[in-house]
Amino acid sequence: MTATGSAPAPLATDRDLVAALHAAGITDVDDSGLARALYSSDASLYRVLPRAVVRPRHPDEIVAAVEVCRSLGVPLTPRGAGTSIAGNAVGTGVVLDTSRYLSRVRTVDAEARTATIDPGVVQAALQTATRPYGLRFGPDPSTHNRCTVGGMIGNNACGSRALGYGRTSDNVVALDVVTGGGDRLQVGPGTGPREGLLADLHRLVGAELATIRTEFGRFGRQVSGYSLEHLLPERGFDVARALVGSEGTLAVVLGATVRLVTDAPVRGLVVLGYPSMADAADATPGLLPHEPTAVEGLDQRIVQRLRDVPAAVVPELPRGDGWLIVELTGETVAEVAAKARGVLADAAALDSLVVTDPAEAAAIWRIREDGAGLAARTSDGRPAHAGWEDAAVPVERLGDYLRGFEALLDGHGLQGVPYGHFGDGCVHVRIDFPFGAGDDGGRGAYRAFVEDAARLVSGYGGSISGEHGDGRARSALLPHMYSPAALSLFERVKALFDPADVLNPGVLVRPVPVEDDVRVAAAPRRREGLALAYRHDGGDFSAAVHRCTGVGKCRADLQSSGGVMCPSWPATREEKDTTRGRARVLQEMLAPGGPVRDWRAPEVHEALDLCLSCKGCSSDCPTGVDMASYKAEVLHQSYRRRLRPRAHYTLGRLPFWSDLVARAPRLVNAMLGSALVGSLAKWSAGIDQRRSVPTFAPRTFRQLWADRAETGDGPRVALWVDSFTDHFAPEVASAAARVLTDAGYRVEVPGADTCCGLTWITTGQLDAARRILGGTVRALAPMAAAGVPIVGIEPSCTAVLRSEALELVGGPDAERVAAATRTLAEVLADTPGWTPPALDGLQVVAQPHCHHASVLGWSADARLLERAGARVTRLGGCCGLAGNWGVERGHHDVSVAVAEQQLLPAVRDLPDGAVVVADGFSCRTQLDQLAGRRGKHLAELLAERLG
């Protein structure tokens, strides 16, 4: 397709735009309020509402979308996973999402060491496809498990291992693109100037050789602006590499051929501790002769942020307040060990640690990979923001730059948490800009700082962007870095490729001011009339939902590494079913003038419908988003004093109905077991007809407990029995009582009026939940005050005492109860002299309940099982039932799909004698109904092995 050169038509109406896109053969076009809200931001500060979202199924649809936008004068912004931090992937016209369908690795040529890919393929998926050949794609940003390679090409992304493998531009062989003017180009090795656009570009470069040779490509991490150095004759006029980093302003990538490198068989880490981060930076140049693949810098502030995350496991680091993580590779263990000795000899560190265990190395890398999220809160809990996010300087000047940067922060009264790719001189930081303050919402303070920061980094010969591109955050700062001649050259290159300024306008050329469209600067506070306290966000629901910075970890495959967030995303692959997508819709609900009106808006409820309230995001999200709480608040506000869905009255009040059933459980079981009554009951309760209703126990645990014998005369322990266990699984509570008694405790069972109100919470009946939970807190507080541990059995209910009780009830009693609440494994681990019964050689597949993993922490359980001699395989993800959610009408198919991610495949081929440990009643129910297999609570497993 070739540009006609005609002037664009006047801007079309939204209806005309959508009609034209459909007429051009594009099938997935969405201009709904929900889609516009989901794509209104990326991982940056900026909020820009698009007019429509296009998800192309074929490269030809991209070409068609460019032509439609060009002919109608509508801006078009390419987008991959939306992890761009500088505002590179938001726009006022059409946002083109390549990640939904264009995600294939087309071919791998092991001999040529190349791969041909779609632009929307995730970097980690490319690694998986090339691994069998002993190859890999070199650059690997911290977002590698969700960022797309097309997005990496747009930003010239680098990542931790660019030191060893180069930037994206160093690893692109050829590109298939369509320019803003409509030209379809295949550019790569041997692409000559020919005629037309490329000939014009060749002539332009020839006239500006002096400017290009003196201002571009001065050091490895100079990413800002266009990388015109690749067009120099001595570099072969490489148009493909020159387009890398152009941020979708010149052309849209339809496909790419990328270079692959061999992956060394042996890796090791040397972790070095220094008095400060600047001292660590000073030591970095001396380590580079040892040929590390990565040298990463960390600060104690970011490590402390991880320690503040509930249920987080933080690896031990060497003594110091600043660290270098040095990765070494080689063909043999001996080669890597020799390199490590050399690094230690030249490091001049306070302390050091050599890591060879892959699991320990992965835990250390996880700190670095979660940096963008962890750094989103300062040491005193204030939100910190991107905006000056990845400047780079020559590595030999890094220590001095860091000291100057810290002084600049102090001078502006700001705090930041730096970290980064020190081997490349690249520093990431989030800063507590005072957005929301003053008449301008803090925009002036933001602009003043980044202007000074641009002058600082330019003074050190650096680049204002080291790998994330300039976007809206830095394009307007380019005059601090480039001469007027260079900036004029940018405009002329843009005019050749995109004469009508259709592609991502406002970025790089004719930039939008950095302070325009800042999302958090315009966010109104929402503190009145809330049901939850939002203790960590100053009581502000708006601040809570704006915790989401958009880094997109919820789009990653976390289940394989033991994570939970976000179960519905892998099942649907829809942005609305990510934690980030839901947060974006809630942010839009609060924003003025957007497509989402209020709590009851259909966009809000559609986005939240497939949220399982698993709380996985509360620990797995590095910024601490708690979507389960936000969903409860939304349901509370939406249905308060209004008619609710049927399931809220039935499943949402299950403990109440269970108490009534306890008077005649056999009769109720018989009735529910009949086809007619059972079907009618499920319809009335809003339960999917494909679900079975769990059987009520003939006698509750408390009825059985009334007939108990003495339970010992040791230290007191309160066995808090929840409604699920009491009415459906009393044998689990009996097993827990037996284990605790055997451990030397005198077991006491609080009364039947100590419900946690969980089902009321998850259905947003928060006034009732507060009343119920408040009574429980008051009943348990005397035990907690007396130092009696409160041992929970059902993880979801136990988690309520540790978390929601503080949010819903609050006060000293709730704090005492939360502090006293323990899991069975935690109490047993702290019991002097207790030894677990032998489980030698027993194969255990463990499905930690989501709330167990995310709120309580499952590490004590893992240690107990391993100490007992079991061979433990821990599953990640969610079982998919999630209390009432998975049985509700409309959720069954997704519930099964979630179970298929980890749980069901793991139990299908288990050998005889293997045990599935599942403490959650939901998890055991899902196992029984979908796999026909019984899961055991830890208490049952231990009780069976007692003498």
Side-chain angles (χ1 to χ4, degrees), residues 298-310 312-315 317 320-323 367-368 370-371 373-381 417-418 622:
L298 288 178
D299 182 271
Q300 61 86 18
R301 290 166 287 185
I302 206 168
V303 176
Q304 185 57 49
R305 278 287 298 115
L306 182 60
R307 292 188 177 117
D308 292 339
V309 174
V313 178
V314 185
L317 296 174
D321 284 339
W323 295 274
I367 303 174
R368 171 60 191 84
D370 284 348
L374 293 170
R377 293 273 149 176
T378 62
S379 58
D380 54 2
V417 182

Side-chain angles (χ1 to χ4, degrees), residues 47-220:
R47 170 192 178 242
V48 180
L49 281 167
R51 296 173 62 183
V53 176
V54 167
R55 289 176 285 236
R57 298 174 183 268
H58 188 277
D60 288 348
E61 292 192 6
I62 299 179
V63 176
V66 171
E67 176 60 23
V68 168
C69 289
R70 190 178 66 82
S71 64
L72 296 179
V74 175
L76 183 143
T77 299
R79 176 180 172 121
T83 57
S84 300
I85 291 178
N88 324 66
V90 291
T92 58
V94 170
V95 170
L96 189 86
D97 178 2
T98 62
S99 70
R100 184 67 177 90
Y101 303 112
L102 295 177
S103 56
R104 295 174 305 142
V105 176
R106 298 179 192 171
T107 61
V108 175
D109 186 335
E111 184 175 350
R113 294 187 179 181
T114 61
T116 302
I117 59 169
D118 287 342
V121 67
V122 171
Q123 194 267 7
L126 175 58
Q127 304 294 48
T128 299
T130 58
R131 191 174 296 119
Y133 303 94
L135 301 171
R136 61 165 289 148
F137 182 59
D140 57 347
S142 60
T143 55
H144 59 86
N145 53 12
R146 65 265 197 196
C147 73
T148 66
V149 179
M152 294 176 65
I153 292 169
N155 291 351
N156 199 3
C158 302
S160 301
R161 296 186 175 91
L163 186 63
Y165 302 126
R167 307 163 298 175
T168 299
S169 59
D170 300 317
N171 292 275
V172 166
V173 177
L175 294 177
D176 179 9
V177 302
V178 57
T179 71
D183 292 295
R184 180 81 178 260
L185 300 177
Q186 306 274 347
V187 291
T191 303
R194 298 180 297 191
E195 297 179 355
L197 168 61
L198 294 185
D200 292 340
L201 180 65
H202 190 265
R203 283 191 291 271
L204 176 60
V205 169
E208 298 289 347
L209 293 177
T211 298
I212 296 173
R213 284 179 175 138
T214 56
E215 296 201 42
F216 297 93
R218 292 177 286 106
F219 73 108

Side-chain angles (χ1 to χ4, degrees), residues 500-705:
D501 201 16
V502 168
L503 296 185
N504 215 4
V507 173
L508 293 177
V509 172
R510 293 179 290 280
V512 174
V514 297
E515 68 272 23
D516 282 8
D517 304 315
V518 174
R519 170 172 44 87
V520 287
R525 294 176 178 173
R526 182 63 66 91
R527 290 175 172 164
E528 302 300 322
L530 300 173
L532 296 172
Y534 304 103
R535 297 173 302 124
H536 302 299
D537 297 288
D540 185 356
F541 181 75
S542 181
V545 299
H546 276 91
R547 277 179 172 266
C548 177
T549 60
V551 294
K553 190 178 178 183
C554 46
R555 285 177 59 111
D557 176 18
L558 301 180
Q559 288 75 23
S560 61
S561 59
V564 177
M565 179 185 72
C566 178
S568 51
W569 155 252
T572 70
R573 293 289 165 177
E574 295 285 350
E575 178 71 16
K576 71 178 180 65
D577 299 319
T578 65
T579 304
R580 177 180 74 178
R582 296 176 183 122
R584 288 288 178 257
V585 173
L586 293 176
Q587 290 166 8
E588 283 298 317
M589 180 190 79
L590 298 171
V596 184
R597 299 184 310 279
D598 53 33
W599 302 99
R600 294 174 59 79
E603 295 89 353
V604 171
H605 290 266
E606 185 176 351
L608 290 174
D609 180 51
L610 297 186
C611 171
L612 285 74
S613 297
C614 68
K615 282 193 171 285
C617 51
S618 68
S619 61
D620 290 342
C621 172
T623 62
V625 168
D626 184 357
M627 193 54 62
S629 294
Y630 309 162
K631 180 178 181 179
E633 184 75 64
V634 168
L635 294 175
H636 169 79
Q637 300 291 346
S638 297
Y639 294 112
R640 192 179 188 190
R641 302 189 185 95
R642 294 185 177 95
L643 190 65
R644 289 177 168 271
R646 288 197 303 274
H648 289 198
Y649 297 107
T650 53
L651 300 172
R653 301 177 182 181
L654 185 59
F656 170 79
W657 300 114
S658 298
D659 286 341
L660 294 179
V661 170
R663 301 174 184 178
R666 290 183 174 85
L667 174 61
V668 174
N669 286 336
M671 293 174 63
L672 293 176
S674 72
L676 178 60
V677 176
S679 178
L680 181 61
K682 284 188 278 188
W683 178 87
S684 301
I687 297 175
D688 192 287
Q689 292 293 334
R690 290 167 287 185
R691 285 291 183 183
S692 301
V693 179
T695 302
F696 290 91
R699 299 186 72 195
T700 69
F701 170 75
R702 286 189 170 85
Q703 290 170 340
L704 296 169
W705 184 255

